[in-house]
Amino acid sequence: MQEGKSFQISKHQILQAYKCVKANKGAGGIDGINFEEYEKDLKNNLYKLWNRMSSGSYFPKPVKGVEIPKKNGKMRLLGIPTIEDRIAQMVVRLTFEPIVEPLFYDNSFGYRPNRSAIDAVAITRERCWKMPWLIEFDIVGLFDNIDHTMMMKAVKWHTDEKWVILYIERFLKAPIGMNDGELKERTSGTPQGGVISPVLANLFMHYAFDTWISRKYPQNPWARYADDGVIHCQSEQEAFNRLEYLKKRMLECGLEIHPDKTKIVYCRSDRYNKRYENESFDFLGYTFRRRSVKSKNGNFFNTFSPAVSKSSAQSFRDKIRKIRKACKTSSLESLAEKLNPIIRGWMNYFTKFCSREARKEIDYVNKTLVQWLKRKYKTVKKSKRRAWRMLAHLANSKPRLFYHWEKGIKPTIG
């Protein structure tokens, strides 16, 4: 231990944490200090943080409350820590996460290394073929409602490192600073936007749900991504039974199952069976339902499978349209630079299953580029066909300009 220091925290840990936070980018917190400002005196700033953390005198600032719109039109409150506090949280995370991560179940997919939402979609697809019933559930405000006493009990169960326990507790209790200057004290929850929050949320749900259902109902496979999850069942009655116990379990843990986003679904591809109230569900941006698909031999058959959901498709179109309108006077290269990250991420995720549905949305990108050309160039302003020809020529002469062109989805003359 460093002489005169209460805790064994090295300067290397602080530097490593800073590099991780820097790589994730992000805006400044309530103190208004961004990376550029923080790095003007980087060496001294990191030294002061190390000095306070290793001596036990470090206290996080309030997190900055930022409201962002949800798909349902309501607002979600994010809590954005300062850059310094993000570094401090990363120091704790890099020490604590390796302890708990190996204990988490394979069916937990959210915010975990080497696991993704698409993995959860894939395993859910396979299980829907094997079991005809499913519970789709959503937890109301998971990050806002985590019980601090229960949370700290779980933390202390897995580590006796005093500084880790001390700082996690301080992170949990840091108030939220709203735009009007009000400071809201926190008695529950872990700020959605905090570096340490995903690990803490997963640890809480590990005991609140994952371990509970795996032990109590081992015959019912499940998948969870943060606050969204599915449970597979063999019968409708079994699904009703499991859902009732799930609601009770969540209440015991201070959480609530969302009444409007939770339902029992019949997951079969049979066309002539009795109709049920719910024969489809949305999970991680995909809609699962009965579809007619083509086999490798060219034959069509019915299967229960995922494809991009309507809300995901609409969200994608809205983003593309917004950028196009904001780039009326930009060059085509500048427009491509802004659109490509969105197109790339969307294609990499939504073309994994039922890619023909996702392709329709990529075709929309070409249509919106035609609109951009008509507004940009007088020669094609009054002729849609000429605009399509111009776009087709551009795609052939610059095939790598747009990500979807590079992947072979080029415009055809409309």
Side-chain angles (χ1 to χ4, degrees):
M1 183 178 296
Q2 298 97 333
E3 186 176 347
K5 299 298 181 183
S6 303
F7 303 125
Q8 185 69 36
I9 302 173
S10 70
K11 294 174 184 176
H12 175 74
Q13 285 174 278
I14 302 290
L15 181 59
Q16 183 186 12
Y18 158 73
K19 290 178 178 179
C20 292
V21 171
K22 172 70 172 177
N24 292 331
K25 301 179 182 179
I30 200 166
D31 60 1
I33 297 175
N34 57 24
F35 275 104
E36 184 179 358
E37 185 71 22
Y38 190 81
E39 289 169 348
K40 286 180 180 178
D41 194 15
L42 180 62
K43 187 175 181 180
N44 191 41
N45 285 333
L46 294 181
Y47 176 82
K48 287 189 290 186
L49 179 59
W50 164 78
N51 191 42
R52 284 184 290 141
M53 288 193 75
S54 58
S55 65
S57 62
Y58 164 76
F59 285 86
K61 293 181 176 68
V63 295
K64 181 181 179 181
V66 178
E67 289 189 325
I68 61 171
K70 298 168 69 174
K71 290 182 181 179
N72 60 9
K74 295 182 180 180
M75 303 300 287
R76 172 183 285 117
L77 181 64
L78 298 185
I80 309 299
T82 65
I83 289 173
E84 180 180 70
D85 291 337
R86 295 213 290 275
I87 297 169
Q89 287 193 25
M90 184 61 77
V91 173
V92 177
R93 178 173 178 169
L94 292 175
T95 300
F96 186 65
E97 187 173 38
I99 298 171
V100 296
E101 169 60 29
L103 306 174
F104 294 157
Y105 286 83
D106 288 343
N107 288 319
S108 168
F109 293 91
Y111 312 119
R112 296 183 60 192
N114 304 314
R115 304 182 74 72
S116 68
I118 209 68
D119 294 329
V121 173
I123 194 67
T124 299
R125 172 174 171 257
E126 292 180 17
R127 289 167 177 169
C128 282
W129 295 339
K130 299 174 182 177
M131 302 182 77
W133 293 90
L134 172 143
I135 302 167
E136 175 199 5
F137 70 90
D138 178 272
I139 298 169
V140 178
L142 170 62
F143 284 87
D144 296 328
N145 295 304
I146 288 175
D147 182 276
H148 284 179
T149 302
M150 292 183 182
M151 184 76 262
M152 291 311 301
K153 183 179 179 181
V155 169
K156 292 173 184 176
W157 181 260
H158 291 287
T159 182
D160 56 5
E161 190 71 67
K162 291 182 179 180
W163 67 270
V164 170
I165 296 169
L166 174 68
Y167 291 133
I168 286 179
E169 193 159 23
R170 288 181 183 175
F171 293 142
L172 290 174
K173 292 180 178 179
I176 291 186
M178 307 305 292
N179 285 334
D180 59 6
E182 179 189 2
L183 281 182
K184 289 187 176 180
E185 298 298 322
R186 297 189 67 88
T187 56
S188 64
T190 178
Q192 191 167 354
V195 171
I196 194 73
S197 296
V199 180
L200 296 181
N202 269 334
L203 178 61
F204 191 88
M205 289 304 295
H206 174 74
Y207 290 108
F209 174 77
D210 303 354
T211 298
W212 168 79
I213 194 168
S214 297
R215 292 178 179 174
K216 190 173 180 66
Y217 303 114
Q219 71 274 31
N220 296 109
W222 55 274
R224 181 182 63 79
Y225 193 98
D227 53 2
D228 292 326
V230 294
I231 305 169
H232 300 266
C233 302
Q234 287 290 4
S235 69
E236 185 178 20
Q237 186 55 49
E238 184 180 72
F240 276 113
N241 174 274
R242 301 297 183 265
L243 181 54
E244 287 306 305
Y245 279 105
L246 174 63
K247 290 176 181 178
K248 292 177 182 177
R249 174 61 181 176
M250 291 299 100
L251 287 175
E252 290 172 359
C253 298
L255 300 174
E256 180 187 357
I257 294 297
H258 199 299
D260 300 326
K261 296 182 181 179
T262 300
K263 61 185 179 182
I264 293 173
V265 184
Y266 181 64
C267 308
R268 272 292 185 253
S269 56
D270 314 72
R271 176 174 294 184
Y272 303 111
N273 268 16
K274 166 186 172 183
R275 301 292 293 183
Y276 292 92
E277 180 182 1
N278 299 309
E279 296 185 347
S280 69
F281 68 95
D282 284 4
F283 186 45
L284 300 175
Y286 277 87
T287 294
F288 288 71
R289 65 173 176 82
R290 182 176 63 82
R291 302 177 190 277
S292 180
V293 299
K294 183 186 282 189
S295 69
K296 293 180 179 179
N297 299 324
N299 300 318
F300 282 89
F301 66 98
N302 292 328
T303 183
F304 194 89
S305 59
V308 58
S309 70
K310 288 183 179 179
S311 61
S312 298
Q314 187 59 54
S315 176
F316 175 72
R317 290 190 177 209
D318 290 344
K319 289 178 183 177
I320 296 297
R321 190 184 303 113
K322 184 178 180 180
I323 292 175
R324 183 201 76 198
K325 290 181 177 180
C327 296
K328 291 178 181 178
T329 60
S330 302
S331 66
L332 190 63
E333 287 74 16
S334 178
L335 181 62
E337 188 178 342
K338 289 182 172 61
L339 288 179
N340 278 337
I342 296 172
I343 298 170
R344 183 184 299 109
W346 203 85
M347 284 186 67
N348 288 344
Y349 187 75
F350 285 110
T351 58
K352 297 294 184 183
F353 305 103
C354 202
S355 59
R356 74 171 185 269
E357 292 294 323
R359 185 186 175 108
K360 293 176 184 177
E361 306 311 317
I362 300 302
D363 287 338
Y364 171 79
V365 178
N366 288 328
K367 291 177 183 177
T368 205
L369 289 174
V370 164
Q371 294 296 319
W372 184 85
L373 289 173
K374 287 180 68 179
R375 287 174 173 81
K376 180 81 171 175
Y377 299 103
K378 291 181 180 179
T379 54
V380 298
K381 187 174 183 179
K382 296 182 179 180
S383 175
K384 190 175 182 180
R385 188 171 181 82
R386 283 183 185 175
W388 275 106
R389 283 178 175 170
M390 177 183 278
L391 191 68
H393 173 73
L394 286 167
N396 288 329
S397 60
K398 300 179 179 180
R400 298 175 66 86
L401 182 59
F402 285 93
Y403 182 79
H404 61 293
W405 292 357
E406 188 179 345
K407 294 299 178 181
I409 307 179
K410 294 183 180 180
T412 54
I413 297 174

